[in-house]
Amino acid sequence: MNIFVVNSGSSSIKYQLFKMPSDQPICSGLVERIGLQGAAITHKVYRQGEETRLERQLDLPDHEAGLQEVARLLSDPEIGVIRDPAEIDAVGHRVVHGGESFAATTIISQAVKDKIRELFALAPLHNPSNYLGIEVAERIFGRAKQVAVFDTAFHQSMPEQAYRYAIPNALYTEQGIRAYGFHGTSHKYVAEQAAAYLQKPEAKLITIHLGNGSSMTAVEGGKSLDTSMGFGPNSGLIMGTRSGDIDPSIIFHLINQLGQDPKEVSGLLNKKSGMQGLTGYSDMRDITNALEGGSPEAELAYSLYAYRIKKYIGAYTAVLNGLDALVFTAGVGENDALIRQRVCRQLEYLGIEFDEEKNQQRSKGIREINTPASRVKILVIPTNEELEIARQCFALLE
């Protein structure tokens, strides 16, 4: 079964094509910096153990332009891996917010699309991109089954004390206002990888997904017990353009004292805050360059970013009543050694002892960056949301 996986982020599209049940992709790629200067595609094709790599810089104003370019590469006469889009049996889509309507992988119908649209307001940076990916894929891969895998599904195991808010009960029972959590596909995948690596199915883990969007999850026995994102994906950690946790009084101040309307406040907190608000940049690589150039704004931003993560480590260690491993994943978590260093320093009281030399090394698989004496493992595990999505699609359709 040929399953093409589309993972549309706020400024990126990751994709992989699998011939299931094999876990090895036929091709994969990344479209990044969509809508920003220097948008680029990295496309890889795998044949007989050999990798062919193509890199291009393009003007990609939006996600539709990016996905159209990906479709062209899939059937390119020279490097294509399919002759015709009709060869794709299923397209698996990452969808960020499923509300209380979707707790499992779902074949996409018009009713499902309508519900995803209804949830735009809860995930304004992602659900519109996810929806657009579905619409474009339906046109390009007309024969394929379109399947949605929801980020919120993994966190359905959270206990009520973790997902409820201290607001009038009717707002939950009638409006569904509760914490849903996100990045569930990534947290599930790396938690399973970590438990297998530790040879401990009931492992107590804190999974730390750091990308343009970021979140942390307390996991025990493969189940989510708590997570930093809530009703929408703006709570918790500091992110590329999102504020993360703030005092709700700030929202009232922006509206009542500064005269902003709710739409302006939403745009401010979702698209103009986080690292963008602190430094003028949303991409961590740009902020790193600014830091190396002596920028005090970049220095402060790094400190705030790491400090927020440390606070959640302390909170989730308490929730779990112990800890077997910290797991860093996603673009920043896997590649930014400085962030990992700033997070992991001075956590010895929790049994977390960090090895600077190991932290600077790179590898494609799971690696430890803790000292041999550390009671808690510090793991860097590359996430593979696309493989997890393909597995869930295959399980649904086979």
Side-chain angles (χ1 to χ4, degrees):
M1 185 184 294
N2 287 327
I3 298 180
F4 181 57
V5 176
V6 177
N7 181 348
S8 294
S10 53
S11 61
S12 65
I13 302 170
K14 290 190 287 185
Y15 59 91
Q16 293 191 39
L17 176 60
F18 296 89
K19 191 173 184 63
M20 298 298 289
S22 172
D23 285 350
Q24 299 303 313
I26 298 169
C27 77
S28 67
L30 172 64
V31 188
E32 55 186 335
R33 299 177 68 93
I34 294 171
L36 302 172
Q37 188 175 6
I41 293 182
T42 302
H43 182 79
K44 301 176 185 177
V45 176
Y46 310 100
R47 290 192 176 98
Q48 300 176 333
E50 301 257 333
E51 176 187 302
T52 302
R53 181 186 183 102
L54 179 148
E55 295 183 0
R56 287 181 181 163
Q57 283 203 323
L58 298 165
D59 180 21
L60 298 174
D62 54 35
H63 283 69
E64 180 156 14
L67 197 56
Q68 288 283 10
E69 183 63 22
V70 170
R72 194 193 67 73
L73 289 171
L74 287 177
S75 56
D76 183 87
E78 294 184 8
I79 64 167
V81 292
I82 56 174
R83 293 185 300 274
D84 188 279
E87 294 179 28
I88 301 298
D89 299 300
V91 181
H93 298 268
R94 176 201 178 203
V95 181
V96 165
H97 210 310
E100 288 212 317
S101 301
F102 304 107
T105 300
T106 305
I107 293 175
I108 296 170
S109 63
Q110 185 59 50
V112 171
K113 287 168 57 180
D114 290 344
K115 193 64 184 179
I116 292 170
R117 281 188 65 90
E118 287 178 26
L119 296 166
F120 277 10
L122 300 187
L125 293 184
H126 285 86
N127 267 36
S129 300
N130 304 153
Y131 184 91
L132 179 58
I134 293 167
E135 292 260 280
V136 175
E138 284 176 332
R139 293 195 291 271
I140 297 171
F141 307 105
R143 192 188 71 82
K145 291 280 189 184
Q146 306 291 325
V147 180
V149 178
F150 295 91
D151 267 11
T152 46
F154 178 59
H155 301 297
Q156 291 298 306
S157 57
M158 288 193 297
E160 193 169 20
Q161 65 189 20
Y163 71 72
R164 285 290 298 272
Y165 294 115
I167 55 178
N169 289 328
L171 290 173
Y172 169 64
T173 57
E174 298 173 15
Q175 302 297 325
I177 297 178
R178 50 159 286 183
Y180 291 98
F182 302 94
H183 296 137
T185 306
S186 176
H187 288 295
K188 181 177 186 293
Y189 178 82
V190 298
E192 289 173 349
Q193 295 290 305
Y197 177 83
L198 297 170
Q199 297 182 326
K200 192 172 183 179
E202 298 303 313
K204 296 180 177 184
L205 309 167
I206 298 174
T207 53
I208 308 171
H209 176 108
L210 304 178
N212 192 264
S214 299
S215 65
M216 292 171 63
T217 299
V219 181
E220 182 173 11
K223 295 185 182 300
S224 171
L225 299 186
D226 202 349
T227 193
S228 60
M229 285 181 169
F231 181 60
N234 196 26
S235 60
L237 305 181
I238 294 168
M239 306 176 224
T241 64
R242 295 179 220 148
S243 64
D245 289 340
I246 63 165
D247 180 347
S249 300
I250 295 170
I251 297 172
F252 307 138
H253 182 81
L254 292 171
I255 294 172
N256 297 327
Q257 304 302 319
L258 301 185
Q260 295 193 18
D261 63 37
K263 186 175 180 180
E264 285 179 295
V265 174
S266 177
L268 174 71
L269 297 180
N270 280 291
K271 298 181 179 181
K272 299 178 181 178
S273 295
M275 300 303 265
Q276 175 75 38
L278 292 168
T279 69
Y281 303 107
S282 63
D283 192 301
M284 213 62 160
R285 290 165 294 190
D286 294 330
I287 299 165
T288 300
N289 290 335
L291 181 69
E292 291 172 350
S295 165
E297 292 83 7
E299 173 61 38
L300 175 62
Y302 256 86
S303 296
L304 290 173
Y305 189 97
Y307 182 72
R308 184 72 58 84
I309 296 168
K310 290 180 86 137
K311 289 209 295 185
Y312 270 93
I313 289 172
Y316 286 170
T317 302
V319 166
L320 292 164
N321 191 26
L323 185 62
D324 292 303
L326 292 177
V327 180
F328 286 90
T329 195
V332 176
E334 293 168 30
N335 298 303
D336 196 319
L338 180 58
I339 280 295
R340 294 194 301 265
Q341 178 204 73
R342 292 195 177 198
V343 169
C344 294
R345 283 186 309 193
Q346 297 182 318
L347 291 176
E348 293 83 2
Y349 186 79
L350 297 179
I352 299 167
E353 298 185 27
F354 173 75
D355 188 309
E356 180 58 52
E357 185 175 344
K358 289 179 182 177
N359 185 46
Q360 295 296 332
Q361 297 170 0
R362 288 181 172 270
S363 68
K364 291 186 177 180
I366 298 174
R367 62 191 176 96
E368 296 183 19
I369 59 172
N370 51 273
T371 67
S374 181
R375 296 196 314 274
V376 174
K377 299 288 189 186
I378 310 171
L379 305 177
V380 180
I381 302 181
T383 193
N384 197 333
E385 293 170 291
E386 294 74 36
L387 175 56
E388 182 63 31
I389 291 169
R391 287 172 174 172
Q392 293 189 35
C393 291
F394 185 64
L396 180 68
L397 297 173
E398 69 171 328

